[in-house]
Structures are given as structure tokens and as C-alpha cells.
Amino acid sequence: MGSSASCSRNQPVEENNKSSKGEAKNIGKQLSKSGEDDEFLFGKVLIPWSDPEYKLGVKMIDEQHKVLVILINKLNYAINNGDVSLMLNVFERLAVYTDFHFREEETLMDKCSAYENGTRDNHKDTHRKFVSKIYSLKSKVEETHNSRFAMEALMFLSDWLITHICITDKKLCKYLKAENIDKEYDRSNAMDDIKNHEVSDDVKKYLNN
């Protein structure tokens, strides 16, 4: 059964699923047309998207946050189905897309004159550390194939994302909206963004430490 997630707390979702592991791979294989992933954005999922809870009013950021929510919900699905291959695949996509999203968000951030330099630098540093944390968690799951550890990692990631949306990015978006800073984004392009994105040098430094 699903449980509701909000800015306060998420709980794991234990799904009643009759599909085979092969079907689970097919369901999680593509991230293309936005409508195809609505089952991982709404309803009985770990983080059901809610505009009143999570919409910040900056279109690019909102649409990319939806992709991150979809990926986390797919990761939860893979873990509950015991599909290690899909789990690692989604972990990889989540790590790459998170870095892509942060870089895109930072291009808007850098255009915002009212967003103070110290706050901007701290925000960017938080981004780098979080992406490196995702890669670290992915490596441990890959080494251990331990579903319990994978679930603990999932809960950390989901809690961090919700807190980041509801606190850090909410503050940023107030400044962006005040200066009418935004960018069009179609989340149906997310798979191409994942394929074409190269992890930033700043993240590589954290990964090498």
C-alpha cells in the first residue's frame, strides 16, 4: 500500500505487485514521454507529486523536480520487486540526472542578482556533496546487493530531495520569480539529457576524495 509523502516525512512503500521481474525491467526501462511516467508521479508511490506541496512556480525547476521524483519512485519500485539490475540502472540515472538538474538550476541561480554570493556558493556546494553521496550509495548497493541497505539509501535520498525542494529551492525560487528568471523545459527529454550529460568536474573531485 502507498503512503503520502510531504515536506515532513516519507515512509517506504510496500507495493502489492503481481508482475514478474522481467515486467519490472520493462516498466522501468524507459523515461521518455512525460505521460508514460505518470504512474510513478502520482498515486500509491513513495513520493506522490502534489502541486500544493512541491510546485515552486519556476517551470524548469518544477519539471526537473518531477523527473527526480519519478526516478526515486522507480527506485522504490525496483527495490520492492527485488530487481537488482533495474535498481542499479535507476540509481545511475538518478545520479546523472541529479547532477544535470543541479547544473541547470545553477545557470538560473547565477542570473539572479538578489541571490547573495555566500548563499549561492553554499547552495552549489550542497549540490556537489549530494551528487557524490548518490554515487557513493550506488557503489555500496552494487557491491553488496543488499536490499535493506538499498532501502535505507532510498529513504535518505527521498528525505533529502523533499527537504531540498521545500526549503532550499523554495527560497531560491522566490528570488527567481521576483526577477522573472526561468527556462522552458520538457521532461519528455529527460532520457536524452541523461544520455548526453557528463558529470561535472566538481563532482568528480568529490568522488575522488
Side-chain angles (χ1 to χ4, degrees), residues 5-24:
S6 68
C7 293
S8 56
R9 179 65 184 169
N10 304 313
Q11 294 297 328
V13 176
E14 298 295 334
E15 299 175 0
N16 293 324
N17 196 307
K18 297 181 180 180
S19 63
S20 66
K21 291 182 180 180
E23 289 171 329

Side-chain angles (χ1 to χ4, degrees), residues 118-137:
T119 303
R120 181 186 293 112
D121 291 343
N122 288 337
H123 195 150
K124 289 182 178 181
D125 191 54
T126 300
H127 284 173
R128 305 293 177 270
K129 289 178 179 178
F130 182 62
V131 174
S132 66
K133 181 68 172 180
I134 295 177
Y135 275 103
S136 175
L137 292 171

Side-chain angles (χ1 to χ4, degrees), residues 24-43:
K25 289 180 182 179
N26 290 332
I27 289 173
K29 194 173 182 179
Q30 297 298 324
L31 184 62
S32 51
K33 297 179 181 179
S34 58
E36 293 177 357
D37 283 305
D38 282 354
E39 65 181 300
F40 291 101
L41 191 60
F42 305 106

